[in-house]
């Protein structure tokens, strides 16, 4: 295929056969690059899936950026876009190309000197609208963002000649979203400042798909702050509702679910992102994104496994604590029961001792009365008219009786006062 036949060949390809469409557009783009000719046709849509002219132009500029990644190529692309893409679709194509080409060439960041020299040339050829400078600014900022160079990104957006030359575009929500990303990822700015920039871009009536993506990416890359995971999850849910077929937003939601500990939901979302990821040719930088999604999936699986282990450990610990508590309660009950039995036994011993003392007093009284009776009887015996022989026998009988009585009293006292178990 030669460059002259490209428009006719693109017009004849069927958009319903995605593989054939992809092959023809790839060959047409390669022919244009080989002949050193920019795409000689106009683009009247932003349909990157079925419009052969847009797909071919996308492939062409991708090849150009891969061959010579720099601000100069970005300026050429911006100039072509401004004259060949319909005004109604220019913003969407500009944002997709500038950030997308930045992502695939992120390992070629230009030095400050190279950037300054290129910026002077761009400003000299740009119009008053600053469209070319803005495209080049987005391209370079996209490289810095892809490399997570937050400090350099903030300085570039805030004070570089190229960014200043963007003029009125500095108020665009995408420019504000990039500033929010830099503020979140830098760490030197307050969370309130970064969140304020994010809200400004997010709530703009001119908010685009790429604005949403950079805002979510900024939240994801921010230094940890209270409510970060929940904010990312809620904003990503809103993005998925607005763009249900966008694989990137399902991936961002998976990150939010992961950060908030909803590992099953996160796994579902990252699997959905992998299913939605285009797998034809080089559209959407399939291999780079697939690798990123698969790494996140592995992280979610690992986190889910750790969470399940932690939950199982917590369950077993709770069971052991409950068993210890039950044992302690049983021990306390046994101690209380033992104390009650000892108390009742002590009371019984006290009552028995009091009763025994009363019985002992009674026996002593009886014994005393018996002695008194014996003494009185002895007096009568000694002083009576009995013969000596009879008196001696009577005294002996009294002594024997008193001895037996004393033994009975002593034995009875021991029986009623001995300790009882």
């Amino acid at each position: 295929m030669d460059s002259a036949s490209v428009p006719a060949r693109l017009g004849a390809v069927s958009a319903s056969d995605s593989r054939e469409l992809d092959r023809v557009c790839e060959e047409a783009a390669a022919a244009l690059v080989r002949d050193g000719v920019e795409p000689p046709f106009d683009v009247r849509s932003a349909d990157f899936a079925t419009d052969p002219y847009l797909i071919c132009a996308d492939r062409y500029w991708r090849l150009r950026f891969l061959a010579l990644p720099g601000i100069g190529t970005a300026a050429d692309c911006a100039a072509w876009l401004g004259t060949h893409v319909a005004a109604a679709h220019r913003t969407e194509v500009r944002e997709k190309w500038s950030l997308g080409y930045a992502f695939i060439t992120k390992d070629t960041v230009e030095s400050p000197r190279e950037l300054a020299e290129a910026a002077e040339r761009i400003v000299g050829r740009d119009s008053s609208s600053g469209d070319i400078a803005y495209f080049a600014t987005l391209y370079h900022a996209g490289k810095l963002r892809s490399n997570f160079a937050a400090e350099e990104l903030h300085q570039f957006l805030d004070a570089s000649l190229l960014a200043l030359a963007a003029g009125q575009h500095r108020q665009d929500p995408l420019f504000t979203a990039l500033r929010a990303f830099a503020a979140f990822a830098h760490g030197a700015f307050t969370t309130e400042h970064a969140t304020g920039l994010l809200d400004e871009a997010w709530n703009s009536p001119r908010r685009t798909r790429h604005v949403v993506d950079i805002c979510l990416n900024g939240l994801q890359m921010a230094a940890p702050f209270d409510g970060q995971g929940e904010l990312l999850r809620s904003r990503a849910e809103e993005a998925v509702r607005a763009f249900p077929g966008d694989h990137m937003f399902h991936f961002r939601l998976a990150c939010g679910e992961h950060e908030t500990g909803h590992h099953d939901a996160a796994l579902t979302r990252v699997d959905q992102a992998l299913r939605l990821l285009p797998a034809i040719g080089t559209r959407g930088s399939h291999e780079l994104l697939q690798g990123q999604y698969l790494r996140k999936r592995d992280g979610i699986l690992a986190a889910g496994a750790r969470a399940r282990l932690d939950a199982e450990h917590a369950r077993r610990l709770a069971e052991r604590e409950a068993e210890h508590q039950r044992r302690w309660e049983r021990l306390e009950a046994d101690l209380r029961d033992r104390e009650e039995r000892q108390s009742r036994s002590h009371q019984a011993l006290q009552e028995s001792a009091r009763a025994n003392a009363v019985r002992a007093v009674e026996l002593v009284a009886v014994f005393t009365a018996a002695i008194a009776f014996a003494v009185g009887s002895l007096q009568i015996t000694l002083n009576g008219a009995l013969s000596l022989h009879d008196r001696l026998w009577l005294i002996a009988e009294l002594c024997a009786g008193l001895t037996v009585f004393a033994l009975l009293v002593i034995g009875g006292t021991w029986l009623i006062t001995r300790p009882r178990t």
Side-chain angles (χ1 to χ4, degrees):
M1 183 187 303
D2 58 28
S3 58
S5 64
V6 166
R9 186 70 183 91
L10 293 175
V13 68
S14 173
S16 62
D17 188 346
S18 61
R19 293 188 179 277
E20 178 66 9
L21 176 64
D22 189 71
R23 185 187 64 81
V24 170
C25 291
E26 191 73 33
E27 291 179 356
L32 293 172
V33 172
R34 184 183 62 248
D35 295 344
V37 178
E38 291 185 352
F41 49 77
D42 292 337
V43 174
R44 296 181 176 84
S45 80
D47 185 355
F48 284 86
T50 63
D51 185 346
Y53 299 102
L54 179 56
I55 296 172
C56 179
D58 184 35
R59 301 300 176 81
Y60 169 83
W61 287 110
R62 185 179 189 276
L63 292 172
R64 285 280 304 272
F65 273 99
L66 289 174
L68 189 62
I71 295 297
T73 305
D76 293 340
C77 182
W80 185 90
L81 187 153
T83 57
H84 289 276
V85 177
H89 307 292
R90 204 167 292 160
T91 296
E92 184 173 353
V93 174
R94 176 196 294 125
E95 294 181 355
K96 183 175 180 65
W97 280 1
S98 61
L99 298 175
Y101 300 146
F103 181 69
I104 64 175
T105 60
K106 61 183 179 180
D107 58 339
T108 60
V109 178
E110 293 167 277
S111 67
R113 181 182 62 80
E114 293 172 328
L115 191 64
E117 292 175 355
E120 291 179 0
R121 293 192 297 270
I122 290 173
V123 171
R125 65 181 287 193
D126 202 358
S127 64
S128 59
S129 64
D131 290 348
I132 296 178
Y134 183 49
F135 187 99
T137 297
L138 294 178
Y139 172 70
H140 188 73
K143 285 184 178 181
L144 297 175
R145 170 214 172 197
S146 298
N147 290 321
F148 311 111
E151 183 175 357
E152 292 86 345
L153 177 60
H154 167 70
Q155 293 174 350
F156 172 73
L157 294 174
D158 189 57
S160 71
L161 174 62
L162 194 60
L164 294 173
Q168 62 184 3
H169 290 293
R170 292 174 61 85
Q171 306 304 317
D172 285 3
L174 183 59
F175 193 92
T176 305
L178 286 167
R179 291 179 60 212
F181 177 93
F184 272 123
H186 192 319
F189 298 94
T190 64
T191 301
E192 290 74 17
H193 172 72
T195 305
L197 291 172
L198 181 139
D199 289 340
E200 180 183 345
W202 190 273
N203 296 324
S204 171
R206 295 183 295 150
R207 187 186 75 182
T208 63
R209 181 261 174 206
H210 295 282
V211 171
V212 172
D213 182 46
I214 291 177
C215 286
L216 294 177
N217 193 200
L219 279 173
Q220 186 180 350
M221 296 307 302
F225 63 88
D226 291 341
Q228 177 184 9
E230 184 58 38
L231 182 59
L232 174 60
R233 188 175 70 86
S234 63
R235 292 297 174 91
E237 284 179 339
E238 183 179 341
V240 168
R241 287 194 297 270
F243 304 92
D246 195 303
H247 57 89
M248 182 60 72
F249 295 148
H250 285 274
F251 172 71
R252 301 296 185 204
L253 181 53
C255 295
E257 298 283 13
H258 184 200
E259 290 188 19
T260 52
H262 303 110
H263 303 299
D264 291 340
L267 185 61
T268 299
R269 289 298 179 180
V270 77
D271 286 344
Q272 180 68 4
L274 286 166
R275 285 191 292 269
L276 292 172
L277 185 62
I280 299 175
T282 57
R283 290 184 219 172
S285 304
H286 173 268
E287 292 183 359
L288 292 172
L289 292 172
Q290 185 182 59
Q292 183 180 5
Y293 294 178
L294 289 174
R295 287 191 297 274
K296 174 55 70 173
R297 190 179 193 276
D298 290 342
I300 292 170
L301 287 173
R306 288 194 300 272
R308 285 189 290 273
L309 288 175
D310 291 343
E312 179 64 17
H313 176 72
R315 183 186 65 80
R316 292 180 179 178
L317 182 62
E319 289 178 352
R320 287 197 297 269
E321 290 293 336
E323 179 61 25
H324 291 163
Q325 182 64 26
R326 287 192 294 271
R327 290 179 180 179
W328 180 253
E329 290 174 353
R330 287 196 298 268
L331 179 60
E332 287 185 329
D334 291 343
L335 289 174
R336 286 194 299 269
D337 185 60
R338 183 178 301 175
E339 289 175 354
E340 290 175 357
R341 290 199 303 270
Q342 290 178 347
S343 177
R344 289 194 297 270
S345 176
H346 181 67
Q347 291 176 354
L349 288 174
Q350 288 180 332
E351 292 175 357
S352 176
R354 285 195 294 270
N356 292 339
V358 170
R359 293 190 185 96
V361 170
E362 292 174 349
L363 288 175
V364 169
V366 171
F367 182 64
T368 303
I371 292 174
F373 173 76
V375 171
S377 299
L378 180 61
Q379 290 292 329
I380 295 172
T381 302
L382 294 175
N383 297 324
L386 295 176
S387 65
L388 178 61
H389 179 267
D390 291 336
R391 289 178 180 177
L392 290 174
W393 273 108
L394 181 60
I395 291 172
E397 290 175 355
L398 288 174
C399 287
L402 289 174
T403 301
V404 172
F405 181 76
L407 290 174
L408 290 174
V409 171
I410 293 171
T413 303
W414 177 81
L415 286 175
I416 65 176
T417 58
R418 66 185 177 88
R420 288 176 173 81
T421 58

